[in-house]
């Protein structure tokens, strides 16, 4: 079945090229800008004449079709990305689609966070429930399918761990070879183990994520290797689909706020694109505010907005225990800025201590997430305190990675070994109390019933008769 009907448009100079004409680094040769994928209907205005309207996908027909596909046994219909393929016609032949049935992620309420913050309606869309445990799967199925269709044998990415895990898995499914560049010693073990498990050639460079990107960019210029970092605009076509799935799960109601973590700064713009396209097609009546939260130690977008109003990026030497977002020179910062501006969202930063507390709180709701995902709740607290988010507004946190991705962080936190003494003294008294209540270090005991019972008694405050 032939379905591909798209072009790439430079986000800086507006130049349009065929998808197959793009260079190996996915940057405009004229102005170095990144590309957006656009479709024939992208340019058609909602209020156009009947003739143009006929080219605009019909909102009710799409809603019906997407719902119908839920009952299908076809792999492309069971995928929570390709179920929405009408709005991402990027492959010619659906047989080229590489899918692990990604997407279809749950939407949870967070009753304790809602109560603590005084916000009625806080939900978490858990993208960590994807096949390799992070939101990257939704983008990887899209871009890897394009790589396969275009006949590449090798694919590669630089990664803080999740992109590499996803790429390695999807490449293995497709029978392609994959090369992973990761900063040595600076990614969580769970993620490193995944790329090995899925058979990638894993190269640990003695540098940071930004250094890995530089090496890989040189490499793809010289060898026929398909680049799967988020500068690849097809990744973002997959990553926009959780926006579709989210409003579908809410019976087409639109929340007021979406909050995402910011690292290389592509995902916020992908979701904003998804919401904009739904709005354009009349699937939703308005677009939610998309806010991006960075770790204080890896805050180039936040700093740039403070220091020069987002005129230019101020790269930083990144350092945060939320290693997934340990990025100082994010490639997609202009796209992120555009997402903030078009949706009316904010950019905030949160400290290491705030991230750890938020992560423990999400864990205590029985959900859990990796540290980078917890910046969303920490950022929400700030936005509420600043009066930017009101009690009656509906908020969705995008939890990007599974808690098991970085179990070492969780264990260190609960054992009280995560922070230095200096960092501990910076925690406010009310937050100290919260940490104390949330910390659940493992208790080591002799295998003796009385000993165990005494330990339980003190925990349960039981008075034994
Ligand atoms: N959350 C998690 C768990 C991530 O792995 C990443 C990025 C982000 C948030 C930030 O998303 O880059 O689109 O702003 N991880 C990349 C990687 C960089 O290599 O896995 P972003």
């Amino acid at each position: 079945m032939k379905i591909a009907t798209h072009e790439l448009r430079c986000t800086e100079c507006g130049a349009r090229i065929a998808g197959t004409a793009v260079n190996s680094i996915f940057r405009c040769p004229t102005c170095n800008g990144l590309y957006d994928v656009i479709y024939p209907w992208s340019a058609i205005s909602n209020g156009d004449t009947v003739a143009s309207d006929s080219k605009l996908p019909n909102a009710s027909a799409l809603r019906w079709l997407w719902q119908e596909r839920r009952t299908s046994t076809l792999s492309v219909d069971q995928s929570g990305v390709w179920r929405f393929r009408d709005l991402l016609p990027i492959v010619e032949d659906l047989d080229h689609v590489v899918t692990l049935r990604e997407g279809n992620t749950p939407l949870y309420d967070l009753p304790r966070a809602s109560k603590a913050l005084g916000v009625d309606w806080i939900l978490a869309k858990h993208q960590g429930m994807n096949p390799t445990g992070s939101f990257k799967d939704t983008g990887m199925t899209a871009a890897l399918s394009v790589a396969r269709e275009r006949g590449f044998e090798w694919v590669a990415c630089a990664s803080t761990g999740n992109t590499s895990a996803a790429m390695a898995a999807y490449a293995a499914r497709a029978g392609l070879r994959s090369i992973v560049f990761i900063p040595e010693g600076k990614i969580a073990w769970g993620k490193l183990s995944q790329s090995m498990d899925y058979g990638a050639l894993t190269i640990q460079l003695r540098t940071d994520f930004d250094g890995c990107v530089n090496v890989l960019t040189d490499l793809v210029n010289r060898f026929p290797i398909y680049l799967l970092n988020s500068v690849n605009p097809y990744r973002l076509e997959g990553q926009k689909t959780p926006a579709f799935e989210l409003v579908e799960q809410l019976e087409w109601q639109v929340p007021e706020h979406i909050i995402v973590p910011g690292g290389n700064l592509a995902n916020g713009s992908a979701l904003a694109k998804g919401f904009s396209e739904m709005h354009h097609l009349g699937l939703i009546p308005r677009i939610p505010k998309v806010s991006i939260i960075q770790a204080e130690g890896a805050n180039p977008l936040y700093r740039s907005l403070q220091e020069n109003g987002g005129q230019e990026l101020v790269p930083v030497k990144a350092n945060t225990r939320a290693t997934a977002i340990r990025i100082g020179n994010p490639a997609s910062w202009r796209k992120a800025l555009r997402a903030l501006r078009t949706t009316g969202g904010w950019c905030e930063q949160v400290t290491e201590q705030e991230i750890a507390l938020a992560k423990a709180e999400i864990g205590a709701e029985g959900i859990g997430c990796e540290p980078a995902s917890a910046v969303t709740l920490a950022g929400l607290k700030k936005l509420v305190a600043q009066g930017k988010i009101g009690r009656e507004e509906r908020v969705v946190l995008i939890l990007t990675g599974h808690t098991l991705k970085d179990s070492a962080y969780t264990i260190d936190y609960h054992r009280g070994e995560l922070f230095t003494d200096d960092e501990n003294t910076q925690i406010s008294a009310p937050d100290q109390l919260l940490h104390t209540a949330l910390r659940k270090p493992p208790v080591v005991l002799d295998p003796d019933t009385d000993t165990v019972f005494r330990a339980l008694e003190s925990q349960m405050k039981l008075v034994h008769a």
Side-chain angles (χ1 to χ4, degrees):
M1 180 186 159
K2 298 252 178 234
I3 60 165
T5 47
H6 72 278
E7 280 186 307
L8 302 182
R9 182 175 57 202
C10 173
T11 51
E12 301 297 316
C13 71
R16 289 160 72 139
I17 58 167
T20 45
V22 71
N23 60 22
S24 53
I25 56 170
F26 294 97
R27 286 195 180 263
C28 174
T30 316
C31 69
N32 209 34
L34 296 177
Y35 289 102
D36 276 332
V37 178
I38 55 163
Y39 304 103
W41 44 265
S42 306
I44 302 170
S45 129
N46 242 327
D48 268 358
T49 57
V50 180
S52 301
D53 270 346
S54 61
K55 290 188 220 144
L56 205 61
N58 178 280
S60 344
L62 285 176
R63 280 199 199 111
W64 178 85
L65 188 60
W66 294 345
Q67 192 60 38
E68 276 302 291
R69 287 180 183 150
R70 281 180 171 281
T71 56
S72 159
T73 53
L74 283 180
S75 61
V76 280
D77 289 343
Q78 290 182 348
S79 160
V81 169
W82 296 103
R83 191 161 66 82
F84 303 104
R85 58 187 173 273
D86 316 272
L87 298 192
L88 52 145
I90 54 176
V91 291
E92 292 258 340
D93 186 341
L94 283 182
D95 286 344
H96 292 140
V97 165
V98 188
T99 175
L100 285 164
R101 320 296 188 272
E102 52 290 317
N104 302 310
T105 59
L107 189 60
Y108 298 121
D109 60 343
L110 296 179
R112 284 164 230 175
S114 295
K115 192 160 172 239
L117 280 176
V119 175
D120 295 340
W121 215 81
I122 304 177
L123 297 177
K125 174 91 174 133
H126 208 326
Q127 294 298 96
M129 299 298 183
N130 268 292
T132 77
S134 88
F135 74 105
K136 304 288 183 180
D137 294 342
T138 57
M140 206 47 78
T141 183
L144 206 294
S145 300
V146 173
R148 182 200 227 178
E149 185 164 90
R150 300 207 177 145
F152 282 89
E153 280 172 34
W154 287 87
V155 294
C157 71
S159 178
T160 55
N162 281 324
T163 300
S164 45
M167 182 189 74
Y170 283 81
R173 293 299 296 175
L176 304 187
R177 303 291 309 277
S178 64
I179 317 170
V180 159
F181 290 95
I182 48 175
E184 196 209 2
K186 289 167 199 140
I187 77 165
W189 287 112
K191 303 175 189 180
L192 176 62
S193 71
Q194 282 180 292
S195 71
M196 295 189 280
D197 200 23
Y198 304 134
L201 170 58
T202 304
I203 299 177
Q204 295 182 276
L205 294 182
R206 289 185 206 94
T207 177
D208 53 13
F209 170 82
D210 304 295
C212 290
V213 169
N214 293 339
V215 171
L216 179 58
T217 307
D218 279 350
L219 212 68
V220 295
N221 270 326
R222 291 163 56 181
F223 300 99
I225 300 172
Y226 194 71
L227 179 65
L228 281 170
N229 273 67
S230 53
V231 291
N232 181 325
Y234 298 112
R235 282 261 315 268
L236 306 196
E237 289 309 286
Q239 286 177 215
K240 78 185 180 186
T241 61
F244 307 159
E245 191 176 273
L246 170 65
V247 286
E248 193 187 49
Q249 285 168 314
L250 294 172
E251 295 180 345
W252 301 97
Q253 291 183 58
V254 188
E256 276 72 32
H257 298 275
I258 306 291
I259 305 189
V260 297
N264 214 16
L265 294 175
N267 197 40
S269 72
L271 294 169
K273 187 173 192 277
F275 287 114
S276 301
E277 287 179 354
M278 279 191 287
H279 183 242
H280 179 64
L281 297 174
L283 281 154
I284 54 173
R286 58 179 177 77
I287 297 171
K289 290 188 170 79
V290 176
S291 293
I292 300 173
I293 315 296
Q294 297 202 294
E296 198 177 86
N299 62 353
L301 181 65
Y302 177 82
R303 274 182 62 168
S304 306
L305 284 164
Q306 299 297 311
E307 289 173 20
N308 61 50
Q311 287 295 310
E312 59 184 290
L313 187 80
V314 185
V316 301
K317 191 91 194 125
N319 197 12
T320 168
R321 291 182 183 86
T323 50
I325 51 174
R326 195 177 193 275
I327 295 173
N329 191 12
S332 297
W333 71 276
R334 282 187 198 277
K335 282 192 177 183
L337 201 62
R338 187 184 63 182
L340 294 177
R341 294 200 168 135
T342 54
T343 69
W346 297 281
C347 181
E348 252 307 332
Q349 63 170 0
V350 290
T351 65
E352 294 294 295
Q353 293 90 335
E354 289 165 339
I355 296 171
L357 181 57
K359 177 172 147 47
E361 287 169 326
I362 293 167
E365 301 251 16
I367 292 174
C369 64
E370 69 163 283
S373 310
V375 303
T376 54
L377 179 59
L380 170 62
K381 292 184 197 176
K382 289 212 157 153
L383 295 175
V384 171
Q386 292 161 3
K388 289 175 174 156
I389 294 184
R391 177 184 190 106
E392 67 301 338
E393 292 186 301
R394 295 164 296 182
V395 183
V396 179
L397 310 179
I398 306 295
L399 300 184
T400 44
H402 198 281
T403 184
L404 290 176
K405 286 279 191 175
D406 194 352
S407 46
Y409 180 106
T410 312
I411 293 169
D412 285 350
Y413 171 80
H414 286 280
R415 285 193 170 142
E417 292 166 4
L418 192 64
F419 295 125
T420 61
D421 291 345
D422 207 30
E423 285 173 315
N424 273 325
T425 57
Q426 290 159 16
I427 301 175
S428 69
D431 280 0
Q432 284 288 11
L433 287 177
L434 291 173
H435 280 297
T436 308
L438 286 162
R439 276 205 179 99
K440 302 285 178 226
V443 184
V444 182
L445 296 173
D446 287 329
D448 165 67
T449 312
D450 287 340
T451 314
V452 174
F453 189 75
R454 272 196 300 280
L456 285 180
E457 212 175 25
S458 70
Q459 288 286 321
M460 298 161 91
K461 304 210 174 14
L462 275 181
V463 183
H464 184 54

